[in-house]
Coordinates of all heavy atoms in Angstrom, one line a residue:
G1 N 27.5 84.2 -3.3 CA 26.7 84.9 -4.2 C 25.6 84.0 -4.8 O 25.0 84.3 -5.8
A2 N 25.3 82.9 -4.2 CA 24.3 81.9 -4.7 C 22.9 82.5 -4.8 O 22.1 82.1 -5.6 CB 24.3 80.6 -3.8
R3 N 22.6 83.4 -3.9 CA 21.2 83.9 -3.9 C 21.1 85.3 -4.5 O 20.1 85.9 -4.6 CB 20.8 84.1 -2.4 CG 20.6 82.7 -1.8 CD 20.1 82.8 -0.4 NE 20.1 81.5 0.2 CZ 19.7 81.3 1.5 NH1 19.3 82.2 2.2 NH2 19.8 80.1 1.9
A4 N 22.2 85.8 -5.1 CA 22.2 87.1 -5.7 C 21.8 87.0 -7.1 O 22.5 86.7 -8.0 CB 23.6 87.7 -5.6
D5 N 20.4 87.2 -7.4 CA 19.9 87.2 -8.7 C 20.5 88.2 -9.6 O 20.6 88.1 -10.8 CB 18.4 87.4 -8.7 CG 17.7 86.2 -8.0 OD1 18.3 85.1 -7.9 OD2 16.5 86.4 -7.6
T6 N 21.0 89.3 -9.1 CA 21.6 90.4 -9.9 C 22.9 90.0 -10.5 O 23.4 90.6 -11.4 CB 21.7 91.7 -9.1 OG1 22.6 91.4 -8.0 CG2 20.4 92.2 -8.6
V7 N 23.5 88.8 -10.0 CA 24.7 88.3 -10.5 C 24.5 87.2 -11.5 O 25.0 87.1 -12.6 CB 25.6 87.9 -9.4 CG1 26.9 87.3 -9.9 CG2 26.0 89.1 -8.5
W8 N 23.7 86.2 -11.0 CA 23.6 85.0 -11.8 C 22.7 85.0 -13.0 O 23.0 84.4 -14.0 CB 23.1 83.8 -10.8 CG 24.1 83.5 -9.9 CD1 24.1 83.7 -8.5 CD2 25.4 82.8 -10.1 NE1 25.2 83.3 -7.9 CE2 26.0 82.7 -8.8 CE3 26.0 82.3 -11.2 CZ2 27.3 82.2 -8.7 CZ3 27.3 81.8 -11.0 CH2 27.9 81.7 -9.8
V9 N 21.7 85.9 -13.0 CA 20.8 86.0 -14.1 C 21.5 86.5 -15.3 O 21.5 86.0 -16.4 CB 19.5 86.8 -13.8 CG1 18.7 87.1 -15.1 CG2 18.7 86.0 -12.8
P10 N 22.3 87.7 -15.2 CA 23.1 88.2 -16.4 C 24.1 87.2 -16.8 O 24.4 87.0 -18.0 CB 23.7 89.5 -15.9 CG 22.9 89.9 -14.7 CD 22.3 88.6 -14.1
I11 N 24.8 86.5 -15.9 CA 25.8 85.5 -16.3 C 25.3 84.4 -17.1 O 25.7 84.0 -18.1 CB 26.6 85.0 -15.0 CG1 27.5 86.1 -14.5 CG2 27.4 83.8 -15.4 CD1 28.1 85.8 -13.2
L12 N 24.1 83.8 -16.6 CA 23.5 82.7 -17.3 C 22.9 83.2 -18.6 O 22.9 82.5 -19.6 CB 22.5 82.1 -16.4 CG 23.0 81.3 -15.2 CD1 21.9 80.8 -14.3 CD2 23.9 80.2 -15.6
A13 N 22.3 84.4 -18.7 CA 21.8 84.9 -19.9 C 22.9 85.1 -21.0 O 22.8 84.7 -22.1 CB 21.1 86.2 -19.7
G14 N 24.0 85.6 -20.5 CA 25.2 85.8 -21.4 C 25.7 84.5 -21.9 O 26.0 84.3 -23.1
A15 N 25.8 83.5 -21.0 CA 26.3 82.2 -21.4 C 25.3 81.5 -22.4 O 25.7 80.9 -23.4 CB 26.5 81.3 -20.2
G16 N 24.0 81.7 -22.2 CA 23.0 81.1 -23.1 C 23.1 81.8 -24.5 O 23.0 81.1 -25.5
C17 N 23.2 83.1 -24.5 CA 23.4 83.8 -25.8 C 24.7 83.4 -26.5 O 24.6 83.2 -27.7 CB 23.4 85.3 -25.6 SG 21.9 86.0 -25.1
W18 N 25.8 83.2 -25.8 CA 27.0 82.8 -26.4 C 26.8 81.4 -27.0 O 27.2 81.1 -28.2 CB 28.2 82.8 -25.4 CG 29.4 82.2 -26.1 CD1 30.3 83.0 -26.7 CD2 29.8 80.9 -26.1 NE1 31.3 82.1 -27.2 CE2 31.1 80.9 -26.8 CE3 29.3 79.7 -25.5 CZ2 31.8 79.7 -27.0 CZ3 30.0 78.5 -25.8 CH2 31.3 78.5 -26.4
L19 N 26.2 80.5 -26.3 CA 25.9 79.1 -26.8 C 25.1 79.1 -28.0 O 25.4 78.4 -29.0 CB 25.3 78.3 -25.7 CG 25.2 76.8 -26.0 CD1 26.5 76.2 -26.2 CD2 24.4 76.1 -24.8
A20 N 24.0 79.9 -28.0 CA 23.1 80.0 -29.2 C 23.9 80.5 -30.4 O 23.8 79.9 -31.5 CB 21.9 80.9 -28.9
I21 N 24.7 81.5 -30.2 CA 25.4 82.1 -31.3 C 26.4 81.1 -31.8 O 26.6 80.9 -33.0 CB 26.1 83.4 -30.9 CG1 25.1 84.5 -30.8 CG2 27.2 83.8 -31.9 CD1 25.6 85.8 -30.2
Y22 N 27.1 80.4 -30.9 CA 28.1 79.4 -31.3 C 27.5 78.3 -32.1 O 28.1 77.8 -33.0 CB 28.8 78.9 -30.0 CG 29.9 77.9 -30.3 CD1 31.1 78.3 -30.8 CD2 29.6 76.5 -30.1 CE1 32.1 77.3 -31.1 CE2 30.6 75.6 -30.4 CZ 31.9 76.0 -30.9 OH 32.8 75.1 -31.1
L23 N 26.4 77.8 -31.7 CA 25.7 76.7 -32.3 C 25.0 77.0 -33.6 O 24.9 76.2 -34.5 CB 24.8 76.0 -31.3 CG 25.4 75.3 -30.1 CD1 24.4 74.8 -29.2 CD2 26.4 74.2 -30.5
L24 N 24.4 78.2 -33.7 CA 23.6 78.5 -34.8 C 24.3 79.3 -35.9 O 23.8 79.2 -37.1 CB 22.4 79.3 -34.3 CG 21.5 78.6 -33.3 CD1 20.4 79.6 -32.8 CD2 20.9 77.4 -33.9
L25 N 25.3 80.0 -35.7 CA 25.9 80.8 -36.7 C 27.1 80.1 -37.3 O 27.8 79.3 -36.6 CB 26.4 82.2 -36.2 CG 25.3 83.1 -35.8 CD1 25.9 84.4 -35.3 CD2 24.3 83.4 -36.9
P26 N 27.4 80.3 -38.6 CA 28.6 79.7 -39.2 C 29.9 80.2 -38.6 O 30.0 81.3 -38.1 CB 28.5 80.0 -40.7 CG 27.7 81.3 -40.7 CD 26.7 81.2 -39.6
K27 N 30.9 79.4 -38.6 CA 32.2 79.7 -38.0 C 32.9 80.6 -38.9 O 33.0 80.4 -40.1 CB 33.0 78.5 -37.7 CG 32.4 77.4 -36.9 CD 31.8 77.8 -35.6 CE 31.1 76.7 -34.9 NZ 29.7 76.7 -35.0
P28 N 33.5 81.8 -38.4 CA 34.2 82.7 -39.2 C 35.6 82.3 -39.6 O 36.6 82.9 -39.1 CB 34.2 84.0 -38.4 CG 34.2 83.5 -37.0 CD 33.4 82.2 -37.0
M29 N 35.7 81.3 -40.4 CA 37.1 80.7 -40.7 C 38.0 81.7 -41.5 O 39.2 81.7 -41.2 CB 36.9 79.4 -41.5 CG 36.3 78.3 -40.7 SD 37.3 77.9 -39.2 CE 38.8 77.4 -39.9
L30 N 37.4 82.5 -42.4 CA 38.2 83.4 -43.1 C 38.9 84.4 -42.1 O 40.1 84.7 -42.3 CB 37.4 84.2 -44.1 CG 38.1 85.2 -45.0 CD1 39.1 84.4 -45.9 CD2 37.2 86.0 -45.9

């Protein structure tokens, strides 16, 4: 699946969004 843009683009976009949320938002400790 290395050349399948329909797979890797959404996976990398989701990973980037998760990383941004994890780093920028406060942790929900409560």
Side-chain angles (χ1 to χ4, degrees):
R3 295 183 186 179
D5 292 340
T6 57
V7 174
W8 292 108
V9 170
I11 289 175
L12 293 175
C17 288
W18 177 87
L19 185 63
I21 289 171
Y22 180 78
L23 293 175
L24 298 175
L25 292 180
K27 309 302 179 268
M29 289 305 295
L30 182 65

